[in-house]
Amino acid sequence: MRVTVVGSGYVGTTLAACLADAGHDVTAVDIDPDVVAALDDGRAPIHEPGLDDLLAEHAGDRLQSTTEYDSVPDADVTFLAIGTPSNEDGSIDLGGLTAAAEMTGEAIATDANGDAARAAADRHLVVVKSTVTPPGVTEILAALREGAGDAADRVELATNPEFLREGSAVDDFQHPDKLVFGTDSAWATERLESLYEPIVAGAGGDVPTIRTDPETAVMIKYANNAFLASKISLVNDLGNICKEFGIDAYEVADAIGLDDRIGARFLRSGVGWGGSCFPKDVDAIRAAAREAGYEPALLGAAVTVNDGQPERMLDLLDDRADVAGERVAVLGLAFKPGTDDVRNSRAIPIVDGLLARDAAVVGYDPVAAENMRAHFEAGAIEYADSAAAALDGAVAALVVTDWDEFAALDGEFDAMAAAPGADAPVVVDGRRVIERREGIAYEGLTW
Ligand code: NAD
């Protein structure tokens, strides 16, 4: 099939590369010429394991990239995978997405004017991949129709929410737990089924597929993320109680995970969730519910617990050492391992808290330092080239991201120094990743 993917960020690039790999002819569109140049070169504009290999294989062949919308009229399916950031009040800023929808409509209309015979015959399927304002796609459909003008009644909008996780996006897309098709017609559903057929076959042929209306599909995405975020917050809440009692929360979690109704996954307590999805999606569903007259108390509590976790890490540090004027390492800047994404990373409130304590902060991350540079003022924090360099001379280290390489740290801690009045250098682990105990004052966040 001929596919156009509008927006080539974390989701769009993964979608475009995986669909090309599945045998489709894909055009990736982005307004950012640097993104298009990277894709043309067969390089991912973002860090995501496996993506560079797919791009190197298919770029210039089954995967084309461009800043133009020219491929839209000929596409069997056009995806919109544009960022949908939060407004101040937690609601979703649909500006980028509606602009892209309008341009998509205009591209369809332009073609309609150019070839009347095909215009009369063609029916266009535009699929929203982005996570949009719950519950619906009214604004996006309006923008698409506005752009399409006379061709508006030949354009159909569907939703197909994405559940991939950054850090394992390619594998998640190629082996989905489920597919959700939100459509208004059997024609659109069948087209999505054909499109995903090679993905389903590659995943072993047995992927549960939910065929529903566009609004329910959007709600499924929000319910999914609200549930996962709340599960982590509940585990963190219980973990905080364990810490107060001197109990290891991981021992408790392993035991409760044996109950089928609870499940063994997503029970690792720690410094909390971040990234571009959980915080934004939980805020958005809360804002939409509030607008509809319902205040979701539990989701509010999930956010409160999450917001408190970085401060609890800093409290554990305060109990052990005064870091004013001292060098403090922050290990991990990405919101999770495997990605360079720092949006809503827990490292941000941790660094803010350390700067408020007048510490000299040195951050280290294997791939996310460049993105973090854009977040803090130049010179506000130092960036080290390795965990060892960050630890050298530091009186404390706060571990924020569970990169595998941190588990291997050992002798590197010998280069740390105790803060004045402290017995030993302090390591506060927010992800239960550090193995070393000798010669350091080690504090686990919930154990
Ligand atoms: P992103 O910010 O990484 O990428 C968006 C891309 O769209 C950027 O490259 C930008 O240059 C481009 N763009 C903006 N306006 C454009 C326009 N008019 N025409 C063409 N390109 C344009 O965003 P993302 O993380 O990929 O997220 C996209 C959507 O998918 C969001 O709604 C998000 O909530 C949702 N989502 C994200 C994830 C995730 O893990 N990142 C997972 C599931 C769903």
Side-chain angles (χ1 to χ4, degrees), residues 6-13 29-32 35 46 67 69 80-85 96-97 99-101 103 129-132 161-166 221 225 276-277 280-281 335 341 343:
V6 181
S8 304
Y10 288 89
V11 169
T13 305
V29 180
D30 205 283
I31 41 168
D32 185 339
V35 167
I46 42 111
T67 53
Y69 281 58
L80 301 178
I82 306 291
T84 48
L97 185 57
M103 287 191 260
K129 248 305 167 199
S130 302
T131 307
V132 295
E162 183 50 57
F163 299 91
L164 62 76
R165 298 161 297 172
E166 286 177 28
K221 171 68 186 172
N225 273 358
S276 67
C277 290
K280 168 171 85 74
D281 293 356
F335 86 91
D341 198 345
R343 290 177 285 185

